[in-house]
Amino acid sequence: MSLPEIQDTLLDAWDFQGRPAIRSKTGGWASAAMILCIEAVERLTTLGIGVNLVTYLKGTMHLGNATSANTVTNFIGTSFMLCLLGGFVADTFLGRYMTIAIFATIQATGVTILTLSTIIPGLRPPKCDPTSSNSCVQASGMQLLVLYIALYLTALGTGGVKASVSGFGSDQFDETDPKERSQMTYFFNRFFFFINVGSLGAVTVLVYIQDDVGRKWGYGVCAFAIVFALLVFLSGTKRYRFKKLIGSPLTQIAAVFIAAWQKRRLELPADPSLFFDLDDIVTSEVSKKMKQRLPHTEQFRSLDKAAIKEQQDTIGPNLYNKWTLSTLTDVEEVKQIVRMLPIWATCILFWTVHAQLTTLSVAQSETMDRRVGSFQIPPASMAVFYVGGLLLTTAVYDRFVIPFTKKFLKKPNGLTPLQRIGIGLLFASFAMAVAALVEIKRLRTAHSHSPTDKTLPLGFYLLIPQYLIVGIGEALIYTGQLDFFLRECPKGMKTMSTGLLLSTLALGFFLSSVLVAIVHKVTGTAHAWIANDLNKGRLYNFYWLVAVLCALNFAVFLVFAKWYVYKDKRLAEVGIELDDEPEIPTCHA
């Protein structure tokens, strides 16, 4: 290796052959662009299947509204929840590159099976119009089994890809180099742009192909796109930078709780300096880039027992059993995660509201007049107004709100993360109240017309406000959550921030399934709120219920937001400044 190459060598990154990476030959935008390709396709596929799945389950598989809605929310919720598994596998065993390659292959397999299920006649029930016949045959157990295998293989692949793409993309830039650090911020902005591009393609072009050309073509396009993106991703192998496995933050959290439980009967020392900490470990074993020593705090003192050192904790020179002994810094990092949990929990219900856009709101739009001239908007394409609200809000926030707060309120970063989250939660309650009012009007129109009318003389535009309001709310709460988790997560647990964000999405969709199941069971069939025929149900009552729950959730959030103290302020009080950290990206459209 020549002297210029040695000077151009990165100390914390390797090439595909395991040699120290050379800056000029690896990483940068050439590598990041190939990674962005697979993220755009992942978003296109997952949303393209999920947003229009309810119409397939009802129209082709002949399932009821409640069952269809829960199938969709369980599929999307599982996709997000499996991101935790994907992140754990990537950080602990496979690394991000191998995780993306393997899980993208799994995703392609799932979508291929889904495509075949729409082609092979024996994998779906006989054709029948459920709106005009009461004798439609529901999908058999075997047909549903094949469908669920396809969906959950797709969800598994999505979880692994989504958990690793952003992290592997950021690995292609060196944070210590000012130029590459600036490029990394731009990468994150383009990352969100590609997510939005994939979303728009899913709710417009892909939904149109599924409804007007055929499901087999729509799902076939997804399968082809994944394989193509995977080939593009693999073609960049020689240019990628690879980082050392650092282990999952979930392991650290589990280790602290297990060690604290094993030592629960021990007495806490009066002097915090007696706790085991980073100074007790050989410096070479501690990455200063990954850890920042934290001061002892009095909250959750039972966890401090994990840092009490006993003779049996030592297993060799400078080695200790992490399952019986943790550093005080590790304990304080886990405490910080525990402090964030109330804010994390109050974000879940917003995504329950979001789930209604891909399920019940789509079912509503099926009964309404969606014509624009000679063109009829597919029911699932109503989501374009939600995406539009998200993009418009992001643009307005970046170009007007941040400059305004910077100039007049002396806040250079705009609203605080908790303020954005709070406003987003308020919009969620407002959106469900609007949805309930729209459903009341829709039902009155349905009751004044013949039950045989498939399309009511009611314009689709009445549904636009609820989509727009949720889109506006999501633009605020998503960026607020991302900002909050990135800033507040301990430096040694930064990968935890994405997991916390995605887990709120997953749990929000699962909560939607639980609410729908409970309401469907309690209200029965005679007075069902969510009937198979929406014109015979009381969907507005379900929307009112979710609106009230969101209002109560907002009140709880205000209590926890007032209680919470930001990390930088808490550390400043004891004279510690935060190390320089990457700029928090925004969602530029």
Side-chain angles (χ1 to χ4, degrees):
M1 186 180 291
S2 64
L3 181 60
E5 287 184 333
I6 293 175
Q7 295 174 338
D8 200 31
T9 298
L10 298 171
L11 299 178
D12 63 342
W14 292 263
D15 64 15
F16 74 107
Q17 292 181 323
R19 302 171 302 190
I22 298 175
R23 188 188 307 276
S24 59
K25 295 183 179 181
T26 61
W29 264 109
S31 301
M34 300 177 188
I35 299 170
L36 286 175
C37 178
I38 205 165
E39 170 55 28
V41 170
E42 179 278 317
R43 184 64 170 174
L44 173 76
T45 301
T46 306
L47 188 60
I49 293 173
V51 76
N52 204 25
L53 185 58
V54 70
T55 60
Y56 179 73
L57 296 174
K58 290 170 53 185
T60 302
M61 307 303 280
H62 306 149
L63 304 181
N65 274 319
T67 303
S68 299
N70 282 356
T71 300
V72 174
T73 51
N74 287 338
F75 162 66
I76 299 177
T78 301
S79 299
F80 287 121
M81 186 58 75
L82 286 173
C83 292
L84 295 176
L85 173 64
F88 178 79
V89 169
D91 289 340
T92 309
F93 301 109
L94 297 178
R96 289 164 178 163
Y97 169 82
M98 286 299 298
T99 300
I100 293 172
I102 292 172
F103 280 80
T105 303
I106 294 173
Q107 187 184 37
T109 302
V111 179
T112 300
I113 295 174
L114 183 61
T115 304
L116 292 175
S117 72
T118 65
I119 296 174
I120 301 173
L123 295 180
R124 58 186 188 276
K127 287 185 177 181
C128 174
D129 186 355
T131 61
S132 60
S133 174
N134 295 322
S135 59
C136 291
V137 178
Q138 283 195 358
S140 66
M142 181 57 68
Q143 291 167 341
L144 289 176
L145 176 62
V146 173
L147 175 66
Y148 292 150
I149 288 174
L151 289 178
Y152 287 101
L153 278 177
T154 303
L156 176 60
T158 299
V161 171
K162 188 180 288 291
S164 302
V165 167
S166 61
F168 191 55
S170 66
D171 288 345
Q172 307 311 307
F173 304 97
D174 180 15
E175 291 182 31
T176 63
D177 181 82
K179 181 180 178 180
E180 290 201 16
R181 182 168 177 170
S182 175
Q183 289 178 336
M184 184 170 67
T185 299
Y186 186 75
F187 164 78
F188 276 113
N189 291 335
R190 294 308 95 193
F191 178 78
F192 289 113
F193 173 76
F194 271 74
I195 287 178
N196 292 325
V197 168
S199 299
L200 282 174
V203 301
T204 54
V205 177
L206 201 55
V207 167
Y208 174 78
I209 293 174
Q210 291 173 9
D211 285 357
D212 288 59
V213 181
R215 292 277 172 171
K216 61 183 179 181
W217 293 104
Y219 295 151
V221 167
C222 290
F224 174 80
I226 296 171
V227 173
F228 176 77
L230 179 58
L231 292 175
V232 171
F233 174 76
L234 294 176
S235 69
T237 301
K238 292 184 178 181
R239 283 204 55 88
Y240 293 142
R241 293 176 187 169
F242 301 86
K243 297 293 181 73
K244 183 179 179 181
L245 297 180
I246 59 174
S248 172
L250 296 176
T251 303
Q252 177 181 329
I253 294 173
V256 168
F257 275 96
I258 290 173
W261 173 258
Q262 291 177 338
K263 297 179 178 180
R264 62 190 181 279
R265 293 185 175 87
L266 298 181
E267 292 292 330
L268 287 168
D271 185 358
S273 64
L274 299 177
F275 286 116
F276 183 69
D277 207 351
L278 297 178
D279 294 340
D280 300 310
I281 308 174
V282 175
T283 305
S284 61
E285 296 182 6
V286 181
S287 171
K288 292 184 178 180
K289 287 188 175 183
M290 295 307 301
K291 290 288 183 182
Q292 177 185 24
R293 183 170 180 173
L294 299 176
H296 177 255
T297 59
E298 295 297 323
Q299 277 184 310
F300 315 118
R301 292 208 65 194
S302 59
L303 293 178
D304 292 342
K305 295 183 179 182
I308 299 177
K309 186 175 181 179
E310 295 184 297
Q311 185 174 0
Q312 60 268 28
D313 295 327
T314 302
I315 58 178
N318 301 316
L319 295 176
Y320 64 97
N321 185 352
K322 68 178 181 180
W323 298 103
T324 61
L325 178 64
S326 301
T327 66
L328 182 62
T329 294
D330 283 344
V331 173
E332 289 299 328
E333 288 181 345
V334 173
K335 284 185 181 182
Q336 178 58 19
I337 296 296
V338 174
R339 291 187 190 98
M340 296 165 64
L341 289 181
I343 303 298
W344 167 86
T346 52
C347 293
I348 293 172
L349 202 55
F350 178 88
W351 303 106
T352 298
V353 172
H354 179 278
Q356 309 318 312
L357 300 185
T358 57
T359 54
L360 298 177
S361 292
V362 174
Q364 282 179 290
S365 66
E366 285 186 289
T367 68
M368 302 172 74
D369 184 2
R370 303 182 307 280
R371 289 175 299 176
V372 178
S374 59
F375 177 74
Q376 179 163 279
I377 300 175
S381 289
M382 291 294 297
V384 73
F385 297 106
Y386 138 75
V387 178
L390 192 155
L391 295 178
L392 179 63
T393 304
T394 301
V396 170
Y397 185 84
D398 287 345
R399 290 162 177 76
F400 297 102
V401 176
I402 290 181
F404 176 83
T405 58
K406 184 177 182 179
K407 182 176 182 180
F408 297 102
L409 303 179
K410 307 304 180 184
K411 293 183 177 181
N413 297 319
L415 301 174
T416 67
L418 291 180
Q419 287 172 339
R420 276 177 276 166
I421 292 173
I423 296 172
L425 293 177
L426 198 58
F427 269 88
S429 182
F430 182 42
M432 286 295 93
V434 170
L437 295 174
V438 170
E439 176 61 10
I440 290 173
K441 181 174 179 59
R442 194 196 67 81
L443 271 183
R444 286 175 179 170
T445 304
H447 293 162
S448 64
H449 287 76
S450 171
T452 60
D453 289 344
K454 294 182 181 180
T455 303
L456 300 175
L458 203 61
F460 70 91
Y461 59 85
L462 289 174
L463 292 175
I464 293 177
Q466 63 201 60
Y467 279 93
L468 280 176
I469 295 170
V470 173
I472 294 170
E474 180 167 336
L476 293 168
I477 197 171
Y478 189 96
T479 56
Q481 281 184 276
L482 184 65
D483 196 338
F484 179 75
F485 293 138
L486 276 173
R487 290 185 185 277
E488 298 302 300
C489 270
K491 188 175 183 179
M493 303 176 71
K494 281 299 180 185
T495 55
M496 193 72 182
S497 57
T498 302
L500 287 171
L501 173 59
L502 295 176
S503 64
T504 62
L505 274 73
L507 293 175
F509 278 88
F510 287 141
L511 179 58
S512 176
S513 295
V514 171
L515 282 176
V516 168
I518 292 174
V519 166
H520 192 60
K521 185 177 180 64
V522 171
T523 59
T525 55
H527 304 286
W529 286 7
I530 308 174
N532 291 338
D533 182 354
L534 285 185
N535 294 339
K536 298 178 181 178
R538 295 182 173 88
L539 181 59
Y540 59 88
N541 281 337
F542 179 74
Y543 284 153
W544 283 127
L545 172 65
V546 178
V548 170
L549 290 176
C550 287
L552 294 175
N553 180 69
F554 175 70
V556 174
F557 168 81
L558 290 179
V559 174
F560 286 124
K562 184 175 179 60
W563 167 79
Y564 189 83
V565 179
Y566 285 106
K567 181 175 68 174
D568 56 353
K569 182 178 180 181
R570 190 172 60 254
L571 293 179
E573 290 175 351
V574 293
I576 296 179
E577 293 184 4
L578 287 175
D579 292 344
D580 289 339
E581 297 182 8
E583 180 183 346
I584 303 300
T586 54
C587 300
H588 290 299

